[in-house]
């Protein structure tokens, strides 16, 4: 069997690692891949969706898997299906649940999925008069379209709100993504992630997880793509999970079916759990999360390719998920300066101690790395994910930071407190 995997981050290295545990897989093509993926498969750079279709035909790819949202939003699934090629993911129309926040919010409103109260604007003057209407701050302002995770602003007063609206709608800092904006209620509580597999009819909930979005310890400083994660998230008790299924997943599925959306793939729920244990959806993603995947997939005992085949064939109802009860915690190592400017091309030392055995207690997934002359060099802001298992989350964190200490590159930076919220719950 030949598999193609689109993407180049830590999430994709983890997917590749899991896919290669299936003995049926003879060849894995990573497009474009990274330094870590280059030891599992063959890395290719293909620039357009058409090139990917052509490549899949030439190489007789049995199944294509997608990591990031951009190809889904551009319609890669539609194109592959038209050409009779097997691929897993939502089509372009369904991918609007991530690519348009306005669409997602209206979907949630229509199907009574709990989310923050919101208003949608597509005219600058109407937002400005709304801001003058005696609102309670803080509020959250969101650009409608994809903005690489940077299109959300929490504003404390009218002046700050006005500046953000000017940047989005007049300065067009995210281009057309800011043509429409949402202003919504700022929810308080703790965030968590639930991802589930959905084949159009049945669903299977993956283990819970929690990300750390801010650059600095104790959650200070700018947002990043994610600085670390762990699974399970103790915040998600069985009772809360039941609530998520009843008040979010069931109406979500009803909505997909009513709207006749073509969705077979992973659904990511970015959740806010309030202090009264109410659950709200902050966002949908139409793909696996990064860095959540790196702590969720290794806990799954099921074969990842079999699960994707079940998604493709709509036979998920026959699947039973089996999950390792151990905790898994991952620390993201970044280049200093990230999420702003940073240098690349630094030699990474210490990786030889971590061969990523299928049953390994420590797993190192590459994100922004590049292989050159048998060396692994930094090639991005987020460089590596160092993940370790433990009987408790604290123990997993201890093991992960022990491994982090053995890896080095010039100007390395990482958070020292991954898991801190969960430790309080473990005590
Ligand atoms: P999103 O891309 O919509 O998930 O937003 C990114 C981040 O902004 C979330 O992970 C939250 O930290 C924060 N956020 C988004 N919406 C809200 C909200 N309504 N209330 C509080 N924080 C929010
Ligand atoms: N960890 C957040 C995301 O993947 O969007």
């Amino acid at each position: 069997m030949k598999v193609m995997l689109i993407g180049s981050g830590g999430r994709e290295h983890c997917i590749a690692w899991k896919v290669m545990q299936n003995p049926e897989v003879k060849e894995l093509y990573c497009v474009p891949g990274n330094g870590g993926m280059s030891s599992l498969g063959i890395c290719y750079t293909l620039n357009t969706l058409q090139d990917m279709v052509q490549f899949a035909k030439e190489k007789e790819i049995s199944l294509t898997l997608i990591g990031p949202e951009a190809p889904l939003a551009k319609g890669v699934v539609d194109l592959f299906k038209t050409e009779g090629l097997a691929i897993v993911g939502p089509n372009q129309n369904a991918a609007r649940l991530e690519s348009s926040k306005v669409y997602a919010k209206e979907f949630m409103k229509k199907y009574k999925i709990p989310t923050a109260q919101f208003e949608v604007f597509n005219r600058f003057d109407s937002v400005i008069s709304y801001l003058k209407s005696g609102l309670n701050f803080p509020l959250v302002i969101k650009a409608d379209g994809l903005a690489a995770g940077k299109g959300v602003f929490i504003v404390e007063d009218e002046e700050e709100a006005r500046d953000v609206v000017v940047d989005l709608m007049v300065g067009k800092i995210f281009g057309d993504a800011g043509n429409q904006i949402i202003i919504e209620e700022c929810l308080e509580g703790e965030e968590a992630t639930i991802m589930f597999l959905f084949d159009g009819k049945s669903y299977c909930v993956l283990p819970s997880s929690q990300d750390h979005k801010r650059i600095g310890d104790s959650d200070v400083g700018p947002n990043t793509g994610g600085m670390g994660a762990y699974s399970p998230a103790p915040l998600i008790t069985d009772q809360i999970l039941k609530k998520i299924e009843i008040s979010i997943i069931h109406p979500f599925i009803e909505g997909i079916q009513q709207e006749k959306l073509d969705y077979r793939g992973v659904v990511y729920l970015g959740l806010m759990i309030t202090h009264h244990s109410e659950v709200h959806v902050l966002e949908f993603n139409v793909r696996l999360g990064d860095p959540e995947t790196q702590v969720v997939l290794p806990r799954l005992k099921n074969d990842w390719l079999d699960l994707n085949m079940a998604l493709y064939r709509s036979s998920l109802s026959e699947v039973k998920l089996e999950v390792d009860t151990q905790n898994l915690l991952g620390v993201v190592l970044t280049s200093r300066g990230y999420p702003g400017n940073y240098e690349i091309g630094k030699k990474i030392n210490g990786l030889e101690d971590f061969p990523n055995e299928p049953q390994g207690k420590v797993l190192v997934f590459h994100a922004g790395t590049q292989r050159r002359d048998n060396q692994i060099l930094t090639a991005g802001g987020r460089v590596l994910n160092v993940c370790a298992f433990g009987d408790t989350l604290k123990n997993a964190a201890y093991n992960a930071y022990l491994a982090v200490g053995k890896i080095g590159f010039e100007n390395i930076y990482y958070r020292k407190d991954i898991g801190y919220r969960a430790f309080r719950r473990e005590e």
Side-chain angles (χ1 to χ4, degrees):
M1 188 170 183
K2 295 180 182 178
V3 176
M4 173 154 79
L5 170 61
I6 313 289
S8 62
R11 167 183 50 207
E12 288 78 15
H13 186 195
C14 180
I15 298 170
W17 171 81
K18 194 82 176 130
V19 163
M20 289 313 286
Q21 288 173 33
N22 182 317
E24 301 289 310
V25 179
K26 300 291 174 244
E27 278 166 41
L28 173 69
Y29 294 97
C30 306
V31 179
N34 62 28
M37 291 160 86
S38 68
S39 58
L40 294 168
I42 306 169
C43 296
Y44 271 92
T45 299
L46 300 170
N47 293 321
T48 66
L49 300 187
Q50 275 303 346
D51 290 347
M52 291 176 198
V53 163
Q54 200 56 35
F55 187 83
K57 283 185 180 168
E58 271 166 27
K59 297 285 180 195
E60 298 177 335
I61 300 291
S62 321
L63 188 68
T64 297
L65 304 178
I66 310 288
E69 62 278 15
L72 296 166
K74 285 188 200 148
V76 69
V77 171
D78 311 58
L79 197 61
F80 270 59
K81 283 192 176 167
T82 312
E83 299 283 345
L85 295 164
I87 188 164
V88 178
N91 73 357
Q92 187 173 30
N93 202 21
R96 282 187 298 159
L97 287 164
E98 176 166 359
S99 65
S100 166
K101 288 190 187 292
V102 171
Y103 180 77
K105 291 295 282 192
E106 283 170 353
F107 180 92
M108 286 190 256
K109 191 170 168 186
K110 185 164 174 191
Y111 293 99
K112 301 193 170 51
I113 295 171
T115 188
Q117 297 283 341
F118 69 101
E119 298 285 338
V120 176
F121 299 90
N122 50 25
R123 285 186 39 179
F124 179 69
D125 51 356
S126 45
V127 196
I128 297 303
S129 29
Y130 178 70
L131 290 177
K132 290 197 179 107
S133 63
L135 304 169
N136 286 326
F137 286 87
L139 285 170
V140 184
I141 304 184
K142 299 184 176 184
D144 172 51
L146 293 177
K150 300 193 182 99
V152 176
F153 303 84
I154 299 182
V155 291
E156 300 297 333
D157 54 39
E158 190 186 321
E159 193 185 334
E160 205 183 331
R162 194 179 193 287
D163 289 346
V164 169
V165 173
V166 168
D167 283 349
L168 291 176
M169 296 187 101
V170 183
K172 291 200 169 288
I173 53 171
F174 301 120
D176 288 347
N179 286 355
Q180 285 198 93
I181 64 163
I182 293 168
I183 300 193
E184 70 179 38
E185 167 197 13
C186 188
L187 298 171
E188 277 181 38
E190 198 173 326
E191 288 179 53
T193 300
I194 286 288
M195 299 184 275
F196 62 97
L197 306 176
F198 176 52
D199 71 358
K201 298 184 303 233
S202 306
Y203 71 93
C204 277
V205 180
L206 298 175
S208 63
S209 57
Q210 219 165 352
D211 184 6
H212 298 63
K213 290 205 163 86
R214 304 293 193 99
I215 187 76
D217 287 1
S218 311
D219 290 310
V220 297
N223 264 331
T224 68
M227 294 299 290
Y230 51 84
S231 175
L235 172 68
I236 306 291
T237 58
D238 288 348
Q239 210 180 352
I240 291 195
L241 185 59
K242 198 85 225 139
K243 215 181 248 190
I244 293 168
E245 290 195 61
I246 292 169
S247 68
I248 299 170
I249 300 181
H250 295 178
F252 177 90
I253 292 174
E254 193 206 324
I256 295 287
Q257 292 171 345
Q258 293 276 337
E259 303 294 317
K260 298 194 170 30
L261 294 174
D262 178 3
Y263 200 130
R264 292 180 201 187
V266 177
V267 183
Y268 171 114
L269 304 173
L271 301 167
M272 182 72 90
I273 318 296
T274 69
H275 304 303
H276 303 292
S277 299
E278 281 167 14
V279 295
H280 293 268
V281 175
L282 294 177
E283 65 167 341
F284 294 125
N285 290 326
V286 296
R287 48 154 179 94
L288 286 164
D290 186 342
E292 290 95 330
T293 299
Q294 296 88 306
V295 292
V296 168
L297 255 54
R299 292 187 63 223
L300 282 186
K301 291 184 183 165
N302 304 66
D303 183 273
W304 187 244
L305 210 53
D306 288 350
L307 290 176
N308 278 277
M309 274 302 186
L311 286 175
Y312 179 66
R313 297 187 177 128
S314 253
S315 60
L316 207 56
S317 59
E318 293 160 23
V319 165
K320 190 167 167 3
L321 283 189
E322 282 187 65
V323 178
D324 188 331
T325 52
Q326 283 195 94
N327 298 268
L328 183 58
L329 181 142
V331 180
V332 175
L333 310 186
T334 70
S335 305
R336 195 177 300 276
Y338 172 80
N341 296 332
Y342 52 82
E343 288 177 45
I344 58 169
K346 311 288 182 193
K347 181 172 181 286
I348 306 175
N349 297 310
L351 290 173
E352 53 289 349
D353 288 346
F354 305 103
N356 282 2
E357 302 288 355
Q359 306 304 327
K361 290 291 160 217
V362 178
L363 300 167
V364 178
F365 297 116
H366 294 217
T369 72
Q370 191 191 7
R371 184 181 294 274
R372 197 183 296 158
D373 306 330
N374 272 338
Q375 286 191 342
I376 298 287
L377 307 178
T378 66
R382 288 193 295 171
V383 177
L384 296 167
N385 298 256
V386 180
C387 306
F389 283 98
D391 295 334
T392 61
L393 275 172
K394 256 194 184 151
N395 192 233
Y398 178 83
N399 294 336
Y401 280 107
L402 207 61
V404 167
K406 296 181 181 162
I407 296 174
F409 53 86
E410 197 185 319
N411 287 334
I412 192 170
Y413 171 82
Y414 52 90
R415 273 180 66 161
K416 315 284 184 297
D417 66 344
I418 300 303
Y420 79 99
R421 286 179 202 275
F423 302 158
R424 286 194 225 136
R425 280 175 209 278
E426 271 186 344
E427 275 158 13

PDB file of all heavy atoms in Angstrom, residues 11 69 98 149 193 211-213 224-226 268 283 285 287-292 382, ligand 2:
ATOM      1  N   ARG A  11       2.688  17.628  13.845  1.00  0.00           N
ATOM      2  CA  ARG A  11       1.489  16.796  13.677  1.00  0.00           C
ATOM      3  C   ARG A  11       1.700  15.752  12.575  1.00  0.00           C
ATOM      4  O   ARG A  11       1.419  14.562  12.758  1.00  0.00           O
ATOM      5  CB  ARG A  11       0.326  17.731  13.302  1.00  0.00           C
ATOM      6  CG  ARG A  11      -0.917  17.042  12.786  1.00  0.00           C
ATOM      7  CD  ARG A  11      -1.966  18.062  12.376  1.00  0.00           C
ATOM      8  NE  ARG A  11      -1.438  19.093  11.493  1.00  0.00           N
ATOM      9  CZ  ARG A  11      -1.917  20.324  11.386  1.00  0.00           C
ATOM     10  NH1 ARG A  11      -2.963  20.683  12.086  1.00  0.00           N
ATOM     11  NH2 ARG A  11      -1.381  21.197  10.564  1.00  0.00           N
ATOM     12  N   GLU A  69      -5.061  22.772   7.434  1.00  0.00           N
ATOM     13  CA  GLU A  69      -6.368  23.191   6.932  1.00  0.00           C
ATOM     14  C   GLU A  69      -6.318  23.771   5.519  1.00  0.00           C
ATOM     15  O   GLU A  69      -7.300  23.680   4.777  1.00  0.00           O
ATOM     16  CB  GLU A  69      -7.009  24.223   7.886  1.00  0.00           C
ATOM     17  CG  GLU A  69      -6.269  25.543   8.085  1.00  0.00           C
ATOM     18  CD  GLU A  69      -5.135  25.466   9.109  1.00  0.00           C
ATOM     19  OE1 GLU A  69      -4.725  24.347   9.475  1.00  0.00           O
ATOM     20  OE2 GLU A  69      -4.646  26.530   9.512  1.00  0.00           O
ATOM     21  N   GLU A  98     -14.105  25.642   9.358  1.00  0.00           N
ATOM     22  CA  GLU A  98     -12.860  26.243   9.866  1.00  0.00           C
ATOM     23  C   GLU A  98     -12.482  27.494   9.075  1.00  0.00           C
ATOM     24  O   GLU A  98     -12.007  28.466   9.662  1.00  0.00           O
ATOM     25  CB  GLU A  98     -11.690  25.235   9.815  1.00  0.00           C
ATOM     26  CG  GLU A  98     -10.382  25.882  10.244  1.00  0.00           C
ATOM     27  CD  GLU A  98      -9.260  24.918  10.556  1.00  0.00           C
ATOM     28  OE1 GLU A  98      -9.458  23.691  10.475  1.00  0.00           O
ATOM     29  OE2 GLU A  98      -8.164  25.410  10.898  1.00  0.00           O
ATOM     30  N   GLY A 149      -4.068  31.309  12.712  1.00  0.00           N
ATOM     31  CA  GLY A 149      -4.241  31.333  14.171  1.00  0.00           C
ATOM     32  C   GLY A 149      -4.029  32.708  14.796  1.00  0.00           C
ATOM     33  O   GLY A 149      -4.020  32.843  16.008  1.00  0.00           O
ATOM     34  N   THR A 193      -9.316  20.542  24.392  1.00  0.00           N
ATOM     35  CA  THR A 193      -9.563  20.090  23.019  1.00  0.00           C
ATOM     36  C   THR A 193     -10.172  18.703  23.019  1.00  0.00           C
ATOM     37  O   THR A 193      -9.684  17.807  23.717  1.00  0.00           O
ATOM     38  CB  THR A 193      -8.224  20.029  22.239  1.00  0.00           C
ATOM     39  OG1 THR A 193      -7.652  21.337  22.224  1.00  0.00           O
ATOM     40  CG2 THR A 193      -8.429  19.549  20.815  1.00  0.00           C
ATOM     41  N   ASP A 211      -3.825  22.248  25.074  1.00  0.00           N
ATOM     42  CA  ASP A 211      -2.716  22.917  24.393  1.00  0.00           C
ATOM     43  C   ASP A 211      -2.253  24.088  25.280  1.00  0.00           C
ATOM     44  O   ASP A 211      -2.936  24.445  26.233  1.00  0.00           O
ATOM     45  CB  ASP A 211      -3.302  23.432  23.065  1.00  0.00           C
ATOM     46  CG  ASP A 211      -2.318  24.087  22.149  1.00  0.00           C
ATOM     47  OD1 ASP A 211      -1.126  24.067  22.449  1.00  0.00           O
ATOM     48  OD2 ASP A 211      -2.753  24.631  21.109  1.00  0.00           O
ATOM     49  N   HIS A 212      -1.119  24.679  24.984  1.00  0.00           N
ATOM     50  CA  HIS A 212      -0.639  25.894  25.676  1.00  0.00           C
ATOM     51  C   HIS A 212      -0.297  26.896  24.593  1.00  0.00           C
ATOM     52  O   HIS A 212       0.752  26.782  23.966  1.00  0.00           O
ATOM     53  CB  HIS A 212       0.616  25.597  26.496  1.00  0.00           C
ATOM     54  CG  HIS A 212       0.402  24.599  27.596  1.00  0.00           C
ATOM     55  ND1 HIS A 212       0.039  23.312  27.355  1.00  0.00           N
ATOM     56  CD2 HIS A 212       0.519  24.717  28.932  1.00  0.00           C
ATOM     57  CE1 HIS A 212      -0.071  22.668  28.512  1.00  0.00           C
ATOM     58  NE2 HIS A 212       0.209  23.506  29.479  1.00  0.00           N
ATOM     59  N   LYS A 213      -1.187  27.887  24.395  1.00  0.00           N
ATOM     60  CA  LYS A 213      -1.026  28.742  23.203  1.00  0.00           C
ATOM     61  C   LYS A 213      -0.029  29.878  23.371  1.00  0.00           C
ATOM     62  O   LYS A 213       0.594  30.294  22.405  1.00  0.00           O
ATOM     63  CB  LYS A 213      -2.388  29.329  22.821  1.00  0.00           C
ATOM     64  CG  LYS A 213      -3.341  28.273  22.262  1.00  0.00           C
ATOM     65  CD  LYS A 213      -4.392  28.885  21.355  1.00  0.00           C
ATOM     66  CE  LYS A 213      -5.060  27.850  20.485  1.00  0.00           C
ATOM     67  NZ  LYS A 213      -6.187  27.178  21.109  1.00  0.00           N
ATOM     68  N   THR A 224       0.865  31.590  20.073  1.00  0.00           N
ATOM     69  CA  THR A 224       1.721  30.851  19.145  1.00  0.00           C
ATOM     70  C   THR A 224       0.877  29.756  18.505  1.00  0.00           C
ATOM     71  O   THR A 224      -0.300  29.622  18.829  1.00  0.00           O
ATOM     72  CB  THR A 224       2.867  30.162  19.903  1.00  0.00           C
ATOM     73  OG1 THR A 224       2.286  29.116  20.707  1.00  0.00           O
ATOM     74  CG2 THR A 224       3.633  31.119  20.788  1.00  0.00           C
ATOM     75  N   GLY A 225       1.500  28.937  17.697  1.00  0.00           N
ATOM     76  CA  GLY A 225       0.800  27.765  17.150  1.00  0.00           C
ATOM     77  C   GLY A 225       0.580  26.705  18.210  1.00  0.00           C
ATOM     78  O   GLY A 225      -0.149  25.743  17.991  1.00  0.00           O
ATOM     79  N   GLY A 226       1.205  26.853  19.378  1.00  0.00           N
ATOM     80  CA  GLY A 226       1.079  25.860  20.461  1.00  0.00           C
ATOM     81  C   GLY A 226       2.453  25.495  20.989  1.00  0.00           C
ATOM     82  O   GLY A 226       3.339  25.146  20.226  1.00  0.00           O
ATOM     83  N   TYR A 268     -12.277  18.863  15.107  1.00  0.00           N
ATOM     84  CA  TYR A 268     -11.567  19.385  16.274  1.00  0.00           C
ATOM     85  C   TYR A 268     -12.475  20.404  16.940  1.00  0.00           C
ATOM     86  O   TYR A 268     -12.928  21.357  16.296  1.00  0.00           O
ATOM     87  CB  TYR A 268     -10.284  20.055  15.773  1.00  0.00           C
ATOM     88  CG  TYR A 268      -9.481  20.850  16.782  1.00  0.00           C
ATOM     89  CD1 TYR A 268      -8.207  20.426  17.153  1.00  0.00           C
ATOM     90  CD2 TYR A 268      -9.943  22.052  17.312  1.00  0.00           C
ATOM     91  CE1 TYR A 268      -7.436  21.174  18.038  1.00  0.00           C
ATOM     92  CE2 TYR A 268      -9.186  22.792  18.202  1.00  0.00           C
ATOM     93  CZ  TYR A 268      -7.938  22.350  18.560  1.00  0.00           C
ATOM     94  OH  TYR A 268      -7.177  23.086  19.425  1.00  0.00           O
ATOM     95  N   GLU A 283     -14.081  27.251  18.724  1.00  0.00           N
ATOM     96  CA  GLU A 283     -13.823  27.102  17.286  1.00  0.00           C
ATOM     97  C   GLU A 283     -13.925  25.649  16.869  1.00  0.00           C
ATOM     98  O   GLU A 283     -13.741  24.741  17.680  1.00  0.00           O
ATOM     99  CB  GLU A 283     -12.426  27.610  16.923  1.00  0.00           C
ATOM    100  CG  GLU A 283     -11.321  26.782  17.557  1.00  0.00           C
ATOM    101  CD  GLU A 283      -9.929  27.037  17.002  1.00  0.00           C
ATOM    102  OE1 GLU A 283      -9.812  27.580  15.900  1.00  0.00           O
ATOM    103  OE2 GLU A 283      -8.968  26.657  17.674  1.00  0.00           O
ATOM    104  N   ASN A 285     -12.115  23.080  14.091  1.00  0.00           N
ATOM    105  CA  ASN A 285     -11.119  22.892  13.056  1.00  0.00           C
ATOM    106  C   ASN A 285     -11.509  21.618  12.322  1.00  0.00           C
ATOM    107  O   ASN A 285     -12.110  20.723  12.915  1.00  0.00           O
ATOM    108  CB  ASN A 285      -9.709  22.750  13.636  1.00  0.00           C
ATOM    109  CG  ASN A 285      -9.221  24.077  14.225  1.00  0.00           C
ATOM    110  OD1 ASN A 285      -9.558  25.141  13.718  1.00  0.00           O
ATOM    111  ND2 ASN A 285      -8.455  24.011  15.300  1.00  0.00           N
ATOM    112  N   ARG A 287      -9.621  19.305  11.011  1.00  0.00           N
ATOM    113  CA  ARG A 287      -8.393  18.515  10.898  1.00  0.00           C
ATOM    114  C   ARG A 287      -7.880  18.242  12.298  1.00  0.00           C
ATOM    115  O   ARG A 287      -8.428  18.755  13.274  1.00  0.00           O
ATOM    116  CB  ARG A 287      -7.367  19.340  10.126  1.00  0.00           C
ATOM    117  CG  ARG A 287      -7.361  20.753  10.755  1.00  0.00           C
ATOM    118  CD  ARG A 287      -6.169  21.550  10.649  1.00  0.00           C
ATOM    119  NE  ARG A 287      -6.346  22.851  11.266  1.00  0.00           N
ATOM    120  CZ  ARG A 287      -6.007  23.153  12.511  1.00  0.00           C
ATOM    121  NH1 ARG A 287      -5.478  22.243  13.303  1.00  0.00           N
ATOM    122  NH2 ARG A 287      -6.192  24.359  12.989  1.00  0.00           N
ATOM    123  N   LEU A 288      -6.804  17.482  12.381  1.00  0.00           N
ATOM    124  CA  LEU A 288      -6.183  17.236  13.687  1.00  0.00           C
ATOM    125  C   LEU A 288      -5.488  18.505  14.185  1.00  0.00           C
ATOM    126  O   LEU A 288      -5.005  19.310  13.377  1.00  0.00           O
ATOM    127  CB  LEU A 288      -5.136  16.131  13.563  1.00  0.00           C
ATOM    128  CG  LEU A 288      -5.662  14.699  13.416  1.00  0.00           C
ATOM    129  CD1 LEU A 288      -4.543  13.776  12.923  1.00  0.00           C
ATOM    130  CD2 LEU A 288      -6.216  14.173  14.733  1.00  0.00           C
ATOM    131  N   GLY A 289      -5.408  18.678  15.490  1.00  0.00           N
ATOM    132  CA  GLY A 289      -4.723  19.837  16.070  1.00  0.00           C
ATOM    133  C   GLY A 289      -3.222  19.597  16.169  1.00  0.00           C
ATOM    134  O   GLY A 289      -2.753  18.474  16.210  1.00  0.00           O
ATOM    135  N   ASP A 290      -2.485  20.684  16.202  1.00  0.00           N
ATOM    136  CA  ASP A 290      -1.043  20.635  16.394  1.00  0.00           C
ATOM    137  C   ASP A 290      -0.754  21.620  17.526  1.00  0.00           C
ATOM    138  O   ASP A 290      -1.105  22.802  17.379  1.00  0.00           O
ATOM    139  CB  ASP A 290      -0.357  21.060  15.090  1.00  0.00           C
ATOM    140  CG  ASP A 290       1.151  20.889  15.146  1.00  0.00           C
ATOM    141  OD1 ASP A 290       1.691  20.769  16.257  1.00  0.00           O
ATOM    142  OD2 ASP A 290       1.788  20.903  14.081  1.00  0.00           O
ATOM    143  N   PRO A 291      -0.229  21.240  18.661  1.00  0.00           N
ATOM    144  CA  PRO A 291       0.501  20.013  19.002  1.00  0.00           C
ATOM    145  C   PRO A 291      -0.328  18.916  19.692  1.00  0.00           C
ATOM    146  O   PRO A 291       0.265  17.983  20.221  1.00  0.00           O
ATOM    147  CB  PRO A 291       1.571  20.520  19.982  1.00  0.00           C
ATOM    148  CG  PRO A 291       0.876  21.631  20.722  1.00  0.00           C
ATOM    149  CD  PRO A 291      -0.089  22.256  19.732  1.00  0.00           C
ATOM    150  N   GLU A 292      -1.655  18.992  19.660  1.00  0.00           N
ATOM    151  CA  GLU A 292      -2.450  17.975  20.359  1.00  0.00           C
ATOM    152  C   GLU A 292      -2.237  16.568  19.784  1.00  0.00           C
ATOM    153  O   GLU A 292      -2.172  15.585  20.527  1.00  0.00           O
ATOM    154  CB  GLU A 292      -3.941  18.324  20.295  1.00  0.00           C
ATOM    155  CG  GLU A 292      -4.345  19.537  21.116  1.00  0.00           C
ATOM    156  CD  GLU A 292      -4.368  20.810  20.290  1.00  0.00           C
ATOM    157  OE1 GLU A 292      -3.586  20.926  19.329  1.00  0.00           O
ATOM    158  OE2 GLU A 292      -5.172  21.698  20.615  1.00  0.00           O
ATOM    159  N   ARG A 382       8.712  26.643  15.357  1.00  0.00           N
ATOM    160  CA  ARG A 382       8.557  25.470  16.221  1.00  0.00           C
ATOM    161  C   ARG A 382       9.411  24.373  15.613  1.00  0.00           C
ATOM    162  O   ARG A 382       9.254  24.026  14.436  1.00  0.00           O
ATOM    163  CB  ARG A 382       7.087  25.064  16.283  1.00  0.00           C
ATOM    164  CG  ARG A 382       6.277  26.065  17.097  1.00  0.00           C
ATOM    165  CD  ARG A 382       4.915  25.542  17.443  1.00  0.00           C
ATOM    166  NE  ARG A 382       4.067  25.346  16.274  1.00  0.00           N
ATOM    167  CZ  ARG A 382       2.879  24.736  16.326  1.00  0.00           C
ATOM    168  NH1 ARG A 382       2.424  24.242  17.459  1.00  0.00           N
ATOM    169  NH2 ARG A 382       2.149  24.617  15.237  1.00  0.00           N
TER     170      ARG A 382
HETATM  171  N1  LIG B   2      -3.641  23.612  18.557  1.00  0.00           N
HETATM  172  C1  LIG B   2      -4.559  24.389  17.855  1.00  0.00           C
HETATM  173  C2  LIG B   2      -4.753  24.052  16.445  1.00  0.00           C
HETATM  174  O1  LIG B   2      -4.257  23.055  15.941  1.00  0.00           O
HETATM  175  O2  LIG B   2      -5.451  24.785  15.748  1.00  0.00           O
END
